[in-house]
Amino acid sequence: MELATIRTAEGTRAAVRSGDQWLPLGAPHLSALLTDAAWRTTAQAALAGTAPHAVAPVAVDDAELVLPLPAPRKVICCGLNYADHILEMGRDLPEHPTLFAKFADTLTGPTDELAVPAAAQGALDWEAELAVVVGAELRNAGEEEARQGIAGYTLANDISVRDWQNRTLQWFQGKAWDATNPLGPVLVTADALDPEAGVEITCEVNGIRRQTGNTKTLVFSAPALVAYISQFTVLRPGDVILTGTPGGVGMGMKPPRYLADGDTVVVEAQGLGRLANTIRFTD
Amino acid sequence: MELATIRTAEGTRAAVRSGDQWLPLGAPHLSALLTDAAWRTTAQAALAGTAPHAVAPVAVDDAELVLPLPAPRKVICCGLNYADHILEMGRDLPEHPTLFAKFADTLTGPTDELAVPAAAQGALDWEAELAVVVGAELRNAGEEEARQGIAGYTLANDISVRDWQNRTLQWFQGKAWDATNPLGPVLVTADALDPEAGVEITCEVNGIRRQTGNTKTLVFSAPALVAYISQFTVLRPGDVILTGTPGGVGMGMKPPRYLADGDTVVVEAQGLGRLANTIRFTD
């Protein structure tokens, strides 16, 4: 099943895809939809045509997909998670995931311009990532419970302000700039996509391929990350976990190459669609 | 003005102190009260006796003070901020604050028992801190705007799971264990307390003094921290910022001394009251 948040004349709506149409559901967005324990049934009823819909279907070609999950309570990110990249850097595989947090405010839509204030323009970098969307309340979950508790997957670009990230030991202040982390465009449910079997994720900047990674090389799989995090904090429907980025970021280039005003960054994966965001320097 | 969230027969209520009484206000807690831009006027009207109160006043001696701010959208913490402690460790004063995030779920009440699961029992440490409570929406604020946007101050104990904190470079997973960070007991408004003039904060474990710090030695003052953070993310009424801990944590003792089942940790400051929490190992 493929879910999204679409813009309609009546405001944004959670929607489920049926062929070349998006069928709007009652909830205003996927954050709201997922808090209803019956969200799968609701979406399936719309697909089966057994649910009345208050808003007319929208053709896929005409639909504007916005930030699918505008209100996660938790956005938790993993660093250093692609085995091939870690090994090529000459490092040992980590025993534990490296984790940090960002906010709902950090997220933005799949085609939104990224407005970057002067203070963040010096070392702006890309990070293509698979994002996991939680679909159940999870506390101290084992890996199988965690797997069952994953609603599905989407794409993220963990845009990073490297100079701020490296000002101190803690990365947070380089990772939590408002409206800099594109997420979307769709939520593909876990029954329809298996990252452990392999999903290739790429990042292009102005049409030049910079990153290629396959999720089957993740040191910590999606269920492993969800289980690990749920040991210390409860996860709830709609929470988002970013799984880390493969090699090829701008900071690692010689010399480093950072994003400039007008650059377009595209993050893409088969079955998950694409994020395409243009950088706009402000101030 | 002194504000708190108190337990009443009708559920929790935001309240303002009038002599030896707490006057309940309409909001269920301070997180809700602060989202009303007229919160100062509301509290002042209660003090002036010009506002009807739906719930009877509660004697200060009888009142149960619970977590004052159960629903901040952001809880942001500063590390390495007491100049005397940094200098005694032979380090240079930092140019930028070291920041990390925790969650509303991390917080717990001023006298709550801290239930610690087996995985977190090996290296549990204390950190007495001054906490800043935001009272306005702040974006890219200068220091004076930040100062005006501070609602007031309270106490925090940034309980840290040191082994998890040190598993990777990022401290977050040692800092964000659910319901381990006592906050409260009261919110003293900024007109009634000036941390830059000096507030002595202490921490005792089982009655033995372990930490003493004075907020006048903070490298980054409360308004400086608020202004700095607001450069990258919006702060809103009810958000909480922890300002760092002075020397004397268990990890720094030789040999290190960590919290055990049954230990009681008391964080105290003149004018701000005290947090008193007992550790209870579970599992």
Side-chain angles (χ1 to χ4, degrees):
Chain A
M1 215 159 38
E2 209 169 305
L3 301 165
T5 300
I6 65 170
R7 198 181 301 284
T8 76
E10 289 79 29
T12 70
R13 284 285 188 285
V16 60
R17 184 165 173 170
S18 174
D20 57 1
Q21 289 193 319
W22 285 105
L23 309 181
L25 306 170
H29 45 65
L30 295 186
S31 296
L33 181 71
L34 292 178
T35 60
D36 177 1
W39 65 268
R40 281 187 183 84
T41 313
T42 301
Q44 281 157 353
L47 288 175
T50 57
H53 30 76
V55 181
V58 179
V60 163
D61 288 346
D62 297 338
E64 183 189 352
L65 275 54
V66 299
L67 173 59
L69 292 144
R73 294 206 223 182
K74 291 174 185 163
V75 182
I76 300 176
C77 309
C78 181
L80 310 172
N81 199 16
Y82 277 84
D84 51 356
H85 175 53
I86 295 167
L87 295 173
E88 89 183 348
M89 300 293 282
R91 294 189 188 166
D92 292 332
L93 294 184
E95 190 182 349
H96 303 291
T98 299
L99 300 173
F100 58 92
K102 44 177 67 179
F103 301 114
D105 282 328
T106 323
L107 305 178
T108 193
T111 57
D112 289 347
E113 269 196 346
L114 305 186
V116 178
Q121 293 170 4
L124 195 71
D125 206 348
W126 54 85
E127 291 199 353
E129 309 205 4
L130 175 77
V132 183
V133 180
V134 177
E137 188 163 306
L138 296 168
R139 295 172 196 269
N140 205 14
E143 216 165 297
E144 189 47 39
E145 186 190 351
R147 191 184 307 275
Q148 297 300 324
I150 292 175
Y153 302 95
T154 189
L155 293 172
N157 190 347
D158 178 19
I159 293 278
S160 302
V161 181
R162 299 294 187 199
D163 45 354
W164 285 63
Q165 182 183 343
N166 296 324
R167 280 183 170 185
T168 73
L169 291 173
Q170 299 303 299
W171 301 343
F172 166 74
Q173 65 187 267
K175 296 284 194 171
W177 288 70
D178 281 356
T180 59
N181 187 127
L183 188 83
V186 294
L187 168 61
V188 176
T189 52
D191 56 306
L193 191 90
D194 180 9
E196 287 167 272
V199 174
E200 187 175 90
I201 296 186
T202 61
C203 181
E204 293 187 354
V205 180
N206 300 336
I208 300 168
R209 176 75 61 92
R210 296 297 187 190
Q211 292 186 282
T212 306
N214 194 300
T215 56
K216 71 184 175 193
T217 73
L218 285 174
V219 180
F220 304 101
S221 68
L225 280 175
V226 168
Y228 187 89
I229 293 165
S230 80
Q231 288 183 81
F232 62 87
T233 190
V234 58
L235 294 171
R236 299 190 183 84
D239 286 346
V240 176
I241 295 164
L242 273 60
T243 59
T245 202
V249 299
M251 188 174 62
M253 296 172 69
K254 294 183 171 122
R257 194 277 192 212
Y258 294 118
L259 293 166
D261 189 38
D263 283 353
T264 295
V265 190
V266 173
V267 171
E268 204 159 5
Q270 201 174 12
L272 286 168
R274 71 206 299 258
L275 305 168
N277 303 86
T278 298
I279 307 297
R280 185 169 53 80
F281 283 180
T282 60
D283 295 0
Chain B
M1 213 158 42
E2 208 169 304
L3 301 165
T5 300
I6 64 170
R7 198 181 301 284
T8 76
E10 289 79 29
T12 70
R13 284 284 187 284
V16 58
R17 184 166 173 169
S18 175
D20 57 3
Q21 289 192 319
W22 286 105
L23 310 180
L25 306 170
H29 46 66
L30 295 185
S31 294
L33 180 72
L34 292 178
T35 60
D36 176 2
W39 65 268
R40 280 187 183 84
T41 313
T42 300
Q44 281 157 353
L47 288 175
T50 58
H53 30 76
V55 182
V58 178
V60 164
D61 289 344
D62 298 336
E64 182 189 353
L65 275 54
V66 299
L67 174 59
L69 292 145
R73 293 207 224 182
K74 291 173 187 163
V75 182
I76 300 176
C77 310
C78 181
L80 310 173
N81 199 15
Y82 277 84
D84 49 357
H85 175 54
I86 296 166
L87 295 173
E88 87 184 347
M89 302 291 282
R91 295 189 186 164
D92 292 333
L93 294 184
E95 191 181 348
H96 304 292
T98 300
L99 300 173
F100 59 92
K102 44 177 68 181
F103 301 115
D105 282 326
T106 324
L107 305 179
T108 192
T111 57
D112 289 347
E113 267 197 346
L114 306 186
V116 179
Q121 292 170 5
L124 194 72
D125 206 348
W126 54 86
E127 290 198 352
E129 309 205 4
L130 176 78
V132 182
V133 180
V134 176
E137 188 164 306
L138 297 168
R139 294 171 196 269
N140 206 15
E143 215 165 298
E144 189 47 38
E145 186 189 350
R147 191 184 307 275
Q148 297 300 324
I150 293 174
Y153 302 94
T154 189
L155 292 172
N157 189 348
D158 178 18
I159 292 279
S160 302
V161 182
R162 298 296 186 198
D163 43 356
W164 285 62
Q165 182 183 343
N166 296 324
R167 280 184 171 186
T168 73
L169 292 173
Q170 300 303 300
W171 302 343
F172 165 73
Q173 64 187 267
K175 295 285 196 172
W177 288 70
D178 282 355
T180 58
N181 187 126
L183 189 82
V186 295
L187 168 60
V188 176
T189 52
D191 56 307
L193 190 90
D194 181 7
E196 288 167 271
V199 174
E200 188 176 90
I201 295 186
T202 61
C203 182
E204 293 188 355
V205 181
N206 300 335
I208 299 169
R209 176 74 62 89
R210 297 296 186 190
Q211 291 186 283
T212 307
N214 194 302
T215 56
K216 71 184 175 192
T217 74
L218 285 173
V219 180
F220 304 101
S221 68
L225 280 176
V226 169
Y228 186 90
I229 293 166
S230 80
Q231 287 181 83
F232 62 88
T233 190
V234 58
L235 293 171
R236 298 191 183 84
D239 286 345
V240 175
I241 297 164
L242 273 60
T243 59
T245 201
V249 297
M251 187 174 63
M253 295 172 71
K254 288 178 178 134
R257 194 278 192 212
Y258 294 118
L259 292 166
D261 189 37
D263 282 354
T264 295
V265 190
V266 173
V267 171
E268 204 161 4
Q270 201 175 12
L272 285 169
R274 71 206 299 259
L275 304 169
N277 303 88
T278 298
I279 306 298
R280 185 169 53 82
F281 282 179
T282 61
D283 296 359

